[in-house]
Coordinates of all heavy atoms in Angstrom, one line a residue:
M1 N 0.9 -1.2 0.0 CA 0.0 0.0 0.0 C 0.9 1.2 0.0 O 1.9 1.3 0.8 CB -0.9 0.0 1.2 CG -1.7 1.2 1.3 SD -2.9 1.3 2.7 CE -1.7 1.6 4.1
R2 N 0.5 2.2 -0.8 CA 1.3 3.5 -0.9 C 0.5 4.6 0.0 O -0.7 4.6 0.0 CB 1.3 4.0 -2.3 CG 2.3 3.1 -3.1 CD 2.6 3.8 -4.5 NE 3.3 5.0 -4.2 CZ 3.4 6.0 -5.2 NH1 2.8 5.8 -6.3 NH2 4.0 7.1 -4.9
L3 N 1.3 5.4 0.6 CA 0.7 6.4 1.4 C 0.0 7.5 0.5 O 0.5 7.8 -0.6 CB 1.7 7.2 2.2 CG 2.4 6.3 3.3 CD1 3.5 7.1 4.0 CD2 1.4 5.8 4.3
I4 N -1.1 8.0 0.9 CA -1.8 9.1 0.2 C -1.0 10.3 0.0 O -1.0 11.0 -1.1 CB -3.2 9.4 0.8 CG1 -4.0 10.3 -0.2 CG2 -3.0 10.1 2.1 CD1 -5.5 10.4 0.3
T5 N -0.1 10.6 0.9 CA 0.8 11.8 0.8 C 1.7 11.6 -0.4 O 2.1 12.5 -1.0 CB 1.6 12.0 2.1 OG1 2.2 10.8 2.5 CG2 0.7 12.5 3.2
D6 N 2.2 10.3 -0.7 CA 3.0 10.1 -1.8 C 2.2 10.4 -3.1 O 2.8 11.0 -4.1 CB 3.5 8.6 -1.9 CG 4.4 8.3 -0.7 OD1 5.0 9.3 -0.1 OD2 4.6 7.1 -0.4
I7 N 1.0 10.0 -3.2 CA 0.1 10.2 -4.3 C 0.0 11.7 -4.5 O 0.1 12.2 -5.7 CB -1.2 9.5 -4.2 CG1 -1.1 8.0 -4.0 CG2 -2.1 9.8 -5.5 CD1 -0.3 7.3 -5.1
L8 N -0.3 12.4 -3.5 CA -0.5 13.9 -3.6 C 0.7 14.6 -4.0 O 0.7 15.5 -4.8 CB -1.0 14.5 -2.2 CG -2.4 14.1 -1.8 CD1 -2.7 14.6 -0.4 CD2 -3.4 14.7 -2.8
R9 N 1.9 14.1 -3.6 CA 3.2 14.7 -4.0 C 3.4 14.4 -5.5 O 4.1 15.2 -6.2 CB 4.3 14.1 -3.2 CG 4.5 14.9 -1.9 CD 5.8 14.5 -1.2 NE 5.6 14.5 0.2 CZ 5.5 13.3 1.0 NH1 5.6 12.2 0.4 NH2 5.3 13.4 2.2
E10 N 2.9 13.3 -6.0 CA 3.2 12.9 -7.4 C 2.1 13.5 -8.4 O 2.3 13.7 -9.6 CB 3.2 11.4 -7.6 CG 4.5 10.8 -7.0 CD 4.5 9.3 -7.3 OE1 3.8 8.8 -8.2 OE2 5.3 8.6 -6.5
Y11 N 0.9 13.9 -7.8 CA -0.1 14.4 -8.6 C 0.3 15.8 -9.2 O 0.5 16.7 -8.5 CB -1.4 14.5 -7.8 CG -2.6 15.0 -8.5 CD1 -3.5 14.0 -9.1 CD2 -3.0 16.3 -8.7 CE1 -4.7 14.4 -9.8 CE2 -4.1 16.7 -9.4 CZ -4.9 15.8 -9.9 OH -6.0 16.2 -10.6
R12 N 0.4 15.8 -10.5 CA 0.7 17.1 -11.2 C 2.0 17.7 -10.6 O 2.0 18.9 -10.3 CB -0.4 18.1 -11.2 CG -1.6 17.6 -12.0 CD -1.3 17.7 -13.4 NE -2.4 17.2 -14.3 CZ -2.3 17.0 -15.5 NH1 -1.1 17.1 -16.1 NH2 -3.3 16.6 -16.3
N13 N 3.0 16.9 -10.4 CA 4.3 17.3 -9.9 C 4.1 18.0 -8.5 O 4.8 19.0 -8.3 CB 5.0 18.2 -10.9 CG 5.4 17.5 -12.1 OD1 5.9 16.4 -12.1 ND2 5.2 18.1 -13.3
G14 N 3.3 17.6 -7.7 CA 3.1 18.1 -6.3 C 2.2 19.2 -6.2 O 2.1 19.8 -5.1
R15 N 1.5 19.6 -7.2 CA 0.6 20.8 -7.1 C -0.5 20.6 -6.2 O -0.9 21.5 -5.4 CB 0.0 21.1 -8.5 CG 1.1 21.7 -9.5 CD 0.4 22.2 -10.8 NE 1.5 22.6 -11.7 CZ 1.4 22.4 -13.0 NH1 0.3 21.9 -13.5 NH2 2.4 22.8 -13.7
A16 N -1.0 19.3 -6.0 CA -2.1 19.1 -5.1 C -1.6 19.2 -3.7 O -2.3 19.9 -2.9 CB -2.7 17.7 -5.3
A17 N -0.4 18.7 -3.3 CA 0.1 18.9 -2.0 C 0.5 20.3 -1.7 O 0.2 20.8 -0.6 CB 1.4 18.0 -1.9
D18 N 1.0 21.1 -2.7 CA 1.3 22.5 -2.5 C 0.0 23.3 -2.3 O 0.0 24.1 -1.3 CB 2.0 23.0 -3.7 CG 3.5 22.5 -3.8 OD1 4.0 21.9 -2.9 OD2 4.1 22.7 -4.9
L19 N -1.0 23.0 -3.0 CA -2.3 23.7 -2.9 C -2.9 23.4 -1.5 O -3.3 24.3 -0.8 CB -3.3 23.4 -4.0 CG -4.6 24.0 -3.9 CD1 -4.5 25.5 -4.0 CD2 -5.5 23.5 -5.1
A20 N -2.9 22.2 -1.1 CA -3.4 21.8 0.2 C -2.7 22.4 1.3 O -3.3 22.9 2.3 CB -3.5 20.3 0.3
S21 N -1.4 22.5 1.2 CA -0.5 23.1 2.2 C -0.8 24.6 2.3 O -1.0 25.1 3.4 CB 0.9 22.9 1.9 OG 1.2 21.6 2.0
R22 N -0.9 25.3 1.2 CA -1.2 26.8 1.2 C -2.6 27.0 1.8 O -2.8 27.9 2.6 CB -1.2 27.3 -0.2 CG 0.2 27.6 -0.7 CD 0.3 28.5 -1.9 NE -0.6 28.1 -3.0 CZ -0.2 27.2 -3.9 NH1 1.0 26.6 -3.9 NH2 -1.0 26.8 -4.9
K23 N -3.6 26.2 1.4 CA -5.0 26.4 1.9 C -5.1 26.1 3.4 O -5.8 26.8 4.1 CB -5.9 25.4 1.2 CG -6.2 25.8 -0.3 CD -7.2 26.9 -0.5 CE -7.6 27.1 -1.9 NZ -8.4 28.3 -2.1
L24 N -4.3 25.1 3.9 CA -4.3 24.8 5.3 C -3.7 26.0 6.0 O -4.2 26.4 7.1 CB -3.5 23.5 5.5 CG -3.4 23.1 7.0 CD1 -4.9 22.9 7.6 CD2 -2.6 21.9 7.2
A25 N -2.6 26.6 5.6 CA -2.0 27.7 6.2 C -3.0 28.9 6.3 O -3.2 29.6 7.3 CB -0.7 28.2 5.5
E26 N -3.7 29.2 5.2 CA -4.7 30.2 5.2 C -5.8 30.0 6.1 O -6.3 30.8 6.8 CB -5.3 30.4 3.7 CG -4.3 30.9 2.7 CD -4.9 30.8 1.3 OE1 -6.0 30.5 1.1 OE2 -4.1 31.0 0.4
L27 N -6.2 28.7 6.2 CA -7.3 28.3 7.1 C -6.9 28.5 8.5 O -7.7 29.0 9.3 CB -7.7 26.8 6.8 CG -8.8 26.2 7.8 CD1 -10.1 27.0 7.6 CD2 -9.0 24.7 7.4
V28 N -5.7 28.1 8.9 CA -5.3 28.3 10.3 C -5.2 29.7 10.6 O -5.6 30.1 11.8 CB -3.8 27.6 10.5 CG1 -3.2 28.0 11.8 CG2 -4.0 26.1 10.3
Q29 N -4.8 30.6 9.7 CA -4.8 32.1 10.0 C -6.2 32.6 10.2 O -6.4 33.4 11.1 CB -4.1 32.8 8.9 CG -2.6 32.6 8.8 CD -1.9 33.3 7.7 OE1 -2.5 33.5 6.6 NE2 -0.7 33.6 7.8
A30 N -7.1 32.1 9.4 CA -8.5 32.6 9.5 C -9.1 32.1 10.8 O -9.9 32.8 11.4 CB -9.3 32.1 8.3
V31 N -8.8 30.8 11.2 CA -9.3 30.4 12.5 C -8.7 31.2 13.6 O -9.4 31.6 14.6 CB -8.9 28.9 12.7 CG1 -9.1 28.4 14.1 CG2 -9.7 28.0 11.7
D32 N -7.4 31.5 13.5 CA -6.8 32.4 14.6 C -7.4 33.8 14.6 O -7.7 34.3 15.7 CB -5.3 32.6 14.3 CG -4.5 31.3 14.7 OD1 -5.0 30.4 15.4 OD2 -3.3 31.2 14.2
D33 N -7.7 34.3 13.4 CA -8.3 35.6 13.4 C -9.8 35.7 13.9 O -10.1 36.7 14.5 CB -8.3 36.2 11.9 CG -6.9 36.5 11.4 OD1 -6.0 36.6 12.2 OD2 -6.7 36.6 10.2
T34 N -10.5 34.7 13.6 CA -12.0 34.7 14.0 C -12.3 34.0 15.2 O -13.4 34.2 15.8 CB -12.8 34.1 12.8 OG1 -12.4 32.7 12.7 CG2 -12.6 34.8 11.5
G35 N -11.5 33.0 15.7 CA -11.8 32.2 16.8 C -12.8 31.1 16.5 O -13.5 30.6 17.4
K36 N -13.1 30.9 15.2 CA -14.1 30.0 14.7 C -13.4 28.9 13.9 O -12.3 29.0 13.4 CB -15.1 30.6 13.9 CG -16.0 31.7 14.5 CD -16.9 32.3 13.5 CE -17.8 33.3 14.2 NZ -18.8 33.9 13.2
A37 N -14.1 27.7 13.8 CA -13.6 26.5 13.1 C -13.8 26.7 11.6 O -14.7 27.4 11.1 CB -14.3 25.3 13.6
G38 N -13.0 26.0 10.8 CA -13.1 25.9 9.4 C -12.7 24.5 9.0 O -12.3 23.7 9.8
T39 N -12.8 24.2 7.7 CA -12.5 22.9 7.2 C -11.6 22.9 5.9 O -11.8 23.9 5.1 CB -13.8 22.1 6.9 OG1 -14.6 22.8 5.9 CG2 -14.6 21.8 8.1
L40 N -10.9 21.9 5.7 CA -10.1 21.7 4.5 C -10.5 20.3 4.0 O -10.4 19.4 4.8 CB -8.6 21.7 4.8 CG -7.7 21.5 3.6 CD1 -7.7 22.6 2.7 CD2 -6.3 21.1 4.0
T41 N -10.9 20.3 2.8 CA -11.4 19.0 2.2 C -10.5 18.8 0.9 O -10.4 19.6 0.1 CB -12.9 19.1 1.8 OG1 -13.6 19.5 2.9 CG2 -13.4 17.8 1.2
I42 N -10.0 17.6 0.9 CA -9.3 17.1 -0.3 C -10.1 15.9 -0.8 O -10.3 14.9 -0.2 CB -7.8 16.6 0.1 CG1 -7.1 17.7 0.8 CG2 -7.1 16.0 -1.1 CD1 -5.7 17.3 1.4
T43 N -10.5 16.1 -2.1 CA -11.3 15.0 -2.7 C -10.5 14.5 -3.9 O -10.1 15.2 -4.7 CB -12.7 15.6 -3.2 OG1 -13.4 16.3 -2.2 CG2 -13.6 14.6 -3.9
I44 N -10.4 13.2 -3.9 CA -9.8 12.5 -5.0 C -10.8 11.6 -5.7 O -11.3 10.7 -5.1 CB -8.5 11.7 -4.5 CG1 -7.6 12.6 -3.8 CG2 -7.9 11.0 -5.7 CD1 -6.4 11.9 -3.2
K45 N -11.0 11.9 -6.9 CA -12.0 11.0 -7.7 C -11.1 10.1 -8.6 O -10.2 10.6 -9.3 CB -12.7 12.0 -8.6 CG -13.9 11.3 -9.4 CD -14.6 12.4 -10.2 CE -15.9 11.8 -10.8 NZ -16.7 12.8 -11.5
V46 N -11.4 8.8 -8.5 CA -10.7 7.8 -9.3 C -11.6 7.2 -10.3 O -12.7 6.7 -10.0 CB -10.2 6.7 -8.3 CG1 -9.4 5.7 -9.1 CG2 -9.3 7.3 -7.2
K47 N -11.2 7.4 -11.6 CA -12.0 6.8 -12.7 C -11.2 5.7 -13.4 O -10.1 5.8 -13.6 CB -12.3 7.9 -13.8 CG -13.2 9.0 -13.3 CD -13.6 9.9 -14.4 CE -12.5 10.8 -14.9 NZ -12.9 11.8 -15.9
P48 N -12.0 4.6 -13.7 CA -11.3 3.5 -14.4 C -11.1 3.7 -15.8 O -11.8 4.5 -16.4 CB -12.3 2.3 -14.1 CG -13.6 3.0 -14.1 CD -13.4 4.3 -13.4
E49 N -10.2 3.0 -16.4 CA -9.9 3.0 -17.8 C -11.1 2.3 -18.5 O -11.7 1.4 -18.1 CB -8.6 2.2 -18.2 CG -8.3 2.1 -19.6 CD -7.1 1.3 -19.9 OE1 -6.7 0.5 -18.9 OE2 -6.5 1.4 -21.0
K50 N -11.5 2.9 -19.7 CA -12.6 2.3 -20.4 C -12.2 0.9 -20.9 O -11.1 0.8 -21.4 CB -13.0 3.2 -21.6 CG -13.7 4.4 -21.2 CD -14.2 5.2 -22.4 CE -14.9 6.4 -21.9 NZ -15.7 7.1 -22.8
G51 N -13.0 0.0 -20.7 CA -12.8 -1.4 -21.1 C -12.0 -2.2 -20.1 O -11.5 -3.3 -20.4
G52 N -11.8 -1.6 -18.9 CA -11.0 -2.3 -17.9 C -9.5 -2.0 -17.9 O -9.1 -1.1 -18.6
G53 N -8.8 -2.8 -17.2 CA -7.3 -2.6 -17.2 C -6.9 -1.9 -15.9 O -7.7 -1.5 -15.0
S54 N -5.6 -1.7 -15.7 CA -5.1 -1.2 -14.5 C -4.9 0.4 -14.5 O -4.7 1.0 -13.5 CB -3.7 -1.8 -14.2 OG -2.8 -1.5 -15.3
Q55 N -5.1 1.0 -15.6 CA -5.0 2.5 -15.7 C -6.2 3.1 -15.0 O -7.3 2.8 -15.2 CB -4.9 2.9 -17.1 CG -4.8 4.4 -17.3 CD -4.6 4.9 -18.7 OE1 -3.9 4.2 -19.5 NE2 -5.3 5.9 -19.1
K56 N -5.9 4.2 -14.2 CA -6.8 5.0 -13.5 C -6.5 6.5 -13.8 O -5.4 6.8 -13.8 CB -6.8 4.7 -12.0 CG -6.9 3.2 -11.6 CD -8.2 2.6 -12.0 CE -8.4 1.2 -11.5 NZ -7.8 0.2 -12.4
T57 N -7.6 7.3 -13.9 CA -7.4 8.7 -14.0 C -7.9 9.3 -12.6 O -9.0 9.0 -12.2 CB -8.3 9.2 -15.2 OG1 -7.9 8.6 -16.3 CG2 -8.2 10.7 -15.3
L58 N -7.0 10.1 -12.1 CA -7.3 10.8 -10.8 C -7.6 12.2 -11.1 O -7.0 12.9 -11.9 CB -6.2 10.7 -9.9 CG -6.0 9.5 -9.0 CD1 -5.9 8.2 -9.8 CD2 -4.9 9.6 -8.0
A59 N -8.6 12.7 -10.4 CA -9.0 14.2 -10.3 C -9.0 14.6 -8.9 O -9.6 14.0 -8.0 CB -10.4 14.4 -11.0
C60 N -8.2 15.6 -8.6 CA -8.0 16.1 -7.2 C -8.6 17.5 -7.1 O -8.4 18.3 -7.9 CB -6.6 16.0 -6.8 SG -6.2 16.4 -5.1
E61 N -9.3 17.6 -6.0 CA -9.9 18.9 -5.7 C -9.6 19.3 -4.2 O -9.8 18.5 -3.3 CB -11.4 18.8 -5.9 CG -12.2 20.2 -5.7 CD -13.6 20.0 -6.0 OE1 -14.3 19.2 -5.4 OE2 -14.1 20.8 -6.9
V62 N -9.1 20.5 -4.0 CA -8.8 21.0 -2.7 C -9.7 22.2 -2.4 O -9.6 23.2 -3.1 CB -7.3 21.4 -2.5 CG1 -7.0 21.9 -1.1 CG2 -6.4 20.2 -2.9
K63 N -10.4 22.2 -1.3 CA -11.3 23.2 -1.0 C -11.2 23.6 0.5 O -11.0 22.6 1.3 CB -12.8 22.9 -1.2 CG -13.2 22.8 -2.7 CD -14.7 22.7 -2.8 CE -15.1 22.7 -4.3 NZ -16.5 22.5 -4.4
A64 N -11.2 24.8 0.8 CA -11.2 25.3 2.2 C -12.4 26.1 2.5 O -12.8 26.9 1.7 CB -9.9 26.1 2.5
K65 N -13.1 25.8 3.6 CA -14.2 26.6 4.1 C -13.7 27.5 5.2 O -13.5 27.0 6.3 CB -15.4 25.7 4.5 CG -16.6 26.5 4.9 CD -17.8 25.7 5.3 CE -18.9 26.6 5.7 NZ -19.9 25.9 6.4
M66 N -13.5 28.7 4.9 CA -12.9 29.7 5.8 C -14.0 30.2 6.8 O -15.1 30.5 6.3 CB -12.3 30.9 5.1 CG -11.3 30.5 4.1 SD -9.8 29.8 5.0 CE -8.7 29.6 3.6
P67 N -13.7 30.3 8.1 CA -14.6 30.9 9.0 C -14.7 32.4 8.7 O -13.8 33.0 8.3 CB -14.0 30.6 10.4 CG -12.6 30.5 10.1 CD -12.5 29.9 8.7
E68 N -15.9 32.9 8.9 CA -16.1 34.4 8.6 C -16.2 35.1 10.0 O -16.8 34.6 10.9 CB -17.4 34.6 7.8 CG -17.3 34.0 6.4 CD -18.5 34.4 5.6 OE1 -19.2 35.3 5.9 OE2 -18.7 33.7 4.6
A69 N -15.6 36.3 10.0 CA -15.6 37.1 11.2 C -16.9 37.7 11.3 O -17.6 38.1 10.4 CB -14.5 38.2 11.1
D70 N -17.4 37.8 12.6 CA -18.6 38.5 12.9 C -18.3 40.0 13.0 O -17.3 40.4 13.5 CB -19.2 38.1 14.2 CG -19.7 36.7 14.2 OD1 -20.1 36.2 13.1 OD2 -19.6 36.0 15.2
L71 N -19.2 40.8 12.5 CA -19.1 42.3 12.7 C -19.6 42.7 14.1 O -20.7 42.2 14.5 CB -19.9 43.1 11.7 CG -19.4 43.0 10.2 CD1 -20.4 43.7 9.3 CD2 -18.0 43.7 10.2
A72 N -18.9 43.4 14.8 CA -19.3 43.8 16.2 C -20.5 44.7 16.1 O -20.7 45.4 15.1 CB -18.1 44.6 16.8
E73 N -21.3 44.7 17.1 CA -22.5 45.6 17.2 C -22.0 47.0 17.3 O -20.9 47.4 17.8 CB -23.3 45.2 18.4 CG -24.0 43.9 18.3 CD -24.8 43.5 19.6 OE1 -24.7 44.3 20.6 OE2 -25.5 42.5 19.5
A74 N -22.9 47.9 16.8 CA -22.6 49.4 16.9 C -23.9 50.1 17.5 O -25.0 49.6 17.2 CB -22.3 50.0 15.5
V75 N -23.7 51.1 18.3 CA -24.7 51.8 18.9 C -25.1 53.1 18.1 O -24.2 53.8 17.7 CB -24.4 52.2 20.4 CG1 -25.5 53.1 21.0 CG2 -24.1 51.0 21.2
F76 N -26.4 53.2 17.8 CA -26.9 54.4 17.1 C -28.1 54.9 17.9 O -28.7 54.2 18.7 CB -27.4 54.0 15.7 CG -26.3 53.8 14.7 CD1 -25.6 52.6 14.6 CD2 -25.9 54.8 13.8 CE1 -24.6 52.3 13.8 CE2 -24.9 54.5 12.9 CZ -24.2 53.3 12.9
F77 N -28.5 56.2 17.6 CA -29.6 56.8 18.3 C -30.6 57.2 17.2 O -30.1 57.8 16.2 CB -29.1 58.0 19.1 CG -28.2 57.6 20.2 CD1 -26.8 57.6 20.0 CD2 -28.7 57.3 21.5 CE1 -25.9 57.3 21.0 CE2 -27.8 56.9 22.5 CZ -26.4 56.9 22.3
S78 N -31.9 57.1 17.5 CA -32.9 57.5 16.5 C -33.4 58.9 16.8 O -33.5 59.2 18.0 CB -34.0 56.5 16.4 OG -34.6 56.4 17.7
D79 N -33.8 59.7 15.8 CA -34.4 60.9 16.1 C -36.0 60.8 15.8 O -36.4 59.7 15.6 CB -33.8 62.0 15.2 CG -34.0 61.8 13.7 OD1 -34.9 61.0 13.3 OD2 -33.2 62.4 12.9
D80 N -36.7 61.9 15.9 CA -38.1 61.8 15.8 C -38.6 61.4 14.4 O -39.7 60.9 14.3 CB -38.8 63.2 16.2 CG -38.5 63.6 17.6 OD1 -38.4 62.7 18.4 OD2 -38.5 64.8 17.9
E81 N -37.7 61.5 13.4 CA -38.1 61.1 12.1 C -37.7 59.7 11.7 O -37.8 59.3 10.6 CB -37.5 62.1 11.1 CG -38.0 63.6 11.3 CD -37.2 64.6 10.5 OE1 -36.3 64.2 9.8 OE2 -37.6 65.8 10.6
G82 N -37.1 59.1 12.7 CA -36.6 57.7 12.4 C -35.2 57.6 11.8 O -34.8 56.5 11.5
A83 N -34.5 58.7 11.7 CA -33.1 58.6 11.1 C -32.2 58.2 12.3 O -32.4 58.5 13.5 CB -32.7 60.0 10.6
L84 N -31.1 57.5 11.9 CA -30.1 57.0 12.9 C -28.9 57.9 12.9 O -28.4 58.4 11.9 CB -29.7 55.6 12.6 CG -30.9 54.6 12.7 CD1 -30.4 53.2 12.2 CD2 -31.3 54.5 14.2
H85 N -28.4 58.1 14.2 CA -27.2 59.0 14.4 C -26.3 58.3 15.3 O -26.7 57.5 16.2 CB -27.6 60.3 15.0 CG -28.7 61.1 14.2 ND1 -28.4 61.9 13.2 CD2 -30.0 61.0 14.3 CE1 -29.5 62.3 12.6 NE2 -30.5 61.9 13.3
R86 N -24.9 58.6 15.2 CA -24.0 58.1 16.1 C -24.0 58.7 17.5 O -23.7 58.1 18.5 CB -22.6 58.2 15.5 CG -22.3 57.4 14.3 CD -22.4 55.9 14.6 NE -21.2 55.5 15.3 CZ -21.1 54.3 15.9 NH1 -22.0 53.4 15.9 NH2 -20.0 54.1 16.6
S87 N -24.4 60.0 17.6 CA -24.6 60.6 18.9 C -26.1 60.9 19.1 O -26.9 61.0 18.2 CB -23.8 61.9 19.0 OG -24.2 62.8 18.0
D88 N -26.5 60.9 20.4 CA -27.9 61.1 20.7 C -28.4 62.5 20.3 O -27.9 63.5 20.9 CB -28.1 60.9 22.2 CG -29.5 60.8 22.6 OD1 -30.5 61.2 21.9 OD2 -29.8 60.4 23.8
P89 N -29.3 62.6 19.4 CA -29.8 64.0 19.0 C -30.6 64.7 20.0 O -30.8 65.9 20.0 CB -30.6 63.7 17.7 CG -31.0 62.3 17.8 CD -30.0 61.6 18.6
Q90 N -31.0 64.0 21.1 CA -31.8 64.7 22.1 C -30.9 65.2 23.2 O -31.4 65.8 24.2 CB -32.8 63.7 22.7 CG -33.9 63.3 21.7 CD -34.8 62.2 22.3 OE1 -34.8 61.9 23.5 NE2 -35.7 61.7 21.4
Q91 N -29.6 64.9 23.2 CA -28.7 65.3 24.3 C -27.9 66.4 23.7 O -27.3 66.4 22.6 CB -27.8 64.2 24.7 CG -26.9 64.6 25.8 CD -26.4 63.5 26.7 OE1 -27.0 62.4 26.6 NE2 -25.5 63.8 27.6
R92 N -27.8 67.5 24.5 CA -26.9 68.7 24.1 C -25.5 68.2 24.2 O -25.1 67.4 25.0 CB -27.1 69.9 25.0 CG -28.5 70.5 24.9 CD -28.7 71.7 25.7 NE -28.4 71.5 27.1 CZ -28.0 72.4 27.9 NH1 -27.8 73.7 27.5 NH2 -27.6 72.2 29.2
E93 N -24.7 68.9 23.3 CA -23.2 68.6 23.4 C -22.7 69.3 24.6 O -23.0 70.5 25.0 CB -22.6 69.2 22.1 CG -22.9 68.5 20.8 CD -22.4 67.1 20.8 OE1 -21.2 66.9 21.3 OE2 -23.1 66.2 20.2
M94 N -21.8 68.6 25.3 CA -21.3 69.1 26.6 C -20.4 70.3 26.5 O -20.5 71.3 27.3 CB -20.5 68.0 27.3 CG -20.0 68.3 28.6 SD -18.9 67.1 29.4 CE -20.2 65.8 29.8
F95 N -19.6 70.4 25.5 CA -18.7 71.5 25.4 C -19.0 72.5 24.3 O -18.3 73.5 24.1 CB -17.3 70.9 25.1 CG -16.8 70.0 26.2 CD1 -16.8 68.6 25.9 CD2 -16.4 70.5 27.4 CE1 -16.3 67.7 26.9 CE2 -16.0 69.6 28.4 CZ -16.0 68.2 28.2
T96 N -20.2 72.4 23.7 CA -20.6 73.4 22.7 C -20.8 74.8 23.3 O -20.3 75.8 22.7 CB -21.9 72.9 22.0 OG1 -21.7 71.6 21.5 CG2 -22.3 73.8 20.8
E97 N -21.5 74.9 24.4 CA -21.8 76.2 25.0 C -20.5 76.9 25.5 O -20.2 78.1 25.3 CB -22.8 76.1 26.2 CG -24.1 75.7 25.7 CD -25.1 75.5 26.9 OE1 -24.7 76.0 28.0 OE2 -26.1 75.0 26.7
A98 N -19.6 76.1 26.1 CA -18.3 76.6 26.6 C -17.5 77.1 25.4 O -16.8 78.2 25.5 CB -17.6 75.6 27.4
A99 N -17.5 76.4 24.3 CA -16.7 76.8 23.1 C -17.3 78.0 22.5 O -16.5 78.9 22.1 CB -16.7 75.6 22.1
A100 N -18.6 78.1 22.5 CA -19.2 79.3 21.9 C -18.9 80.6 22.7 O -18.7 81.6 22.2 CB -20.7 79.1 21.8
R101 N -18.9 80.4 24.1 CA -18.6 81.5 24.9 C -17.2 82.0 24.8 O -16.9 83.2 24.8 CB -18.9 81.2 26.4 CG -20.3 81.2 26.8 CD -20.5 81.1 28.3 NE -20.0 79.8 28.7 CZ -20.7 78.9 29.3 NH1 -21.9 79.1 29.6 NH2 -20.1 77.7 29.6
S102 N -16.3 81.1 24.7 CA -14.8 81.4 24.6 C -14.5 82.1 23.2 O -13.6 82.9 23.1 CB -13.9 80.2 24.8 OG -14.1 79.3 23.7
Q103 N -15.3 81.8 22.2 CA -15.1 82.4 20.9 C -15.7 83.8 20.8 O -15.4 84.6 19.9 CB -15.6 81.5 19.8 CG -14.8 80.2 19.7 CD -15.4 79.3 18.6 OE1 -16.4 79.6 18.0 NE2 -14.7 78.2 18.4
A104 N -16.6 84.1 21.7 CA -17.3 85.4 21.6 C -16.6 86.5 22.2 O -15.6 86.5 22.7 CB -18.7 85.3 22.4

């Protein structure tokens, strides 16, 4: 029996192994960044030769499902017309009056 890693190294001169290695590194970084799990899937399809025989055609596919980062919540305030604002439109600015007096 041959190891699957040997087959991946020989598939298209190692392209499958290289791709899987790059995707795994990207996946690990995404997991570190998001704190969420992801998956790496290597699929090898084996087709027989027409009419029988020992020849097989392999098709390899490498896919990574990267975790997605959640966007943090943000606080907004609504006005009487239903528009949203980053600061509360019903609250006066604390330093506006003092700034106006010092400029006068």
Side-chain angles (χ1 to χ4, degrees):
M1 177 179 73
R2 291 193 61 204
L3 296 175
I4 192 169
T5 52
D6 293 341
I7 304 301
L8 289 173
R9 278 191 215 107
E10 288 183 21
Y11 185 91
R12 295 289 179 194
N13 295 320
R15 288 186 188 147
D18 290 345
L19 179 59
S21 297
R22 281 195 308 275
K23 291 278 187 189
L24 180 59
E26 292 171 10
L27 177 60
V28 169
Q29 288 176 334
V31 168
D32 285 345
D33 291 345
T34 64
K36 295 180 178 182
T39 58
L40 177 73
T41 305
I42 301 170
T43 304
I44 300 173
K45 187 177 190 178
V46 181
K47 295 190 289 185
E49 177 182 18
K50 290 188 180 192
S54 63
Q55 180 177 318
K56 307 296 183 273
T57 301
L58 274 58
C60 187
E61 184 176 56
V62 179
K63 288 187 177 182
K65 183 178 179 197
M66 303 293 182
E68 294 186 18
D70 292 328
L71 290 174
E73 293 180 350
V75 175
F76 286 81
F77 299 88
S78 60
D79 62 19
D80 294 337
E81 297 171 0
L84 295 173
H85 306 272
R86 292 297 287 168
S87 58
D88 188 348
Q90 296 179 6
Q91 179 153 352
R92 293 187 306 157
E93 292 293 324
M94 182 182 287
F95 300 105
T96 305
E97 292 178 15
R101 281 191 297 239
S102 67
Q103 292 177 356

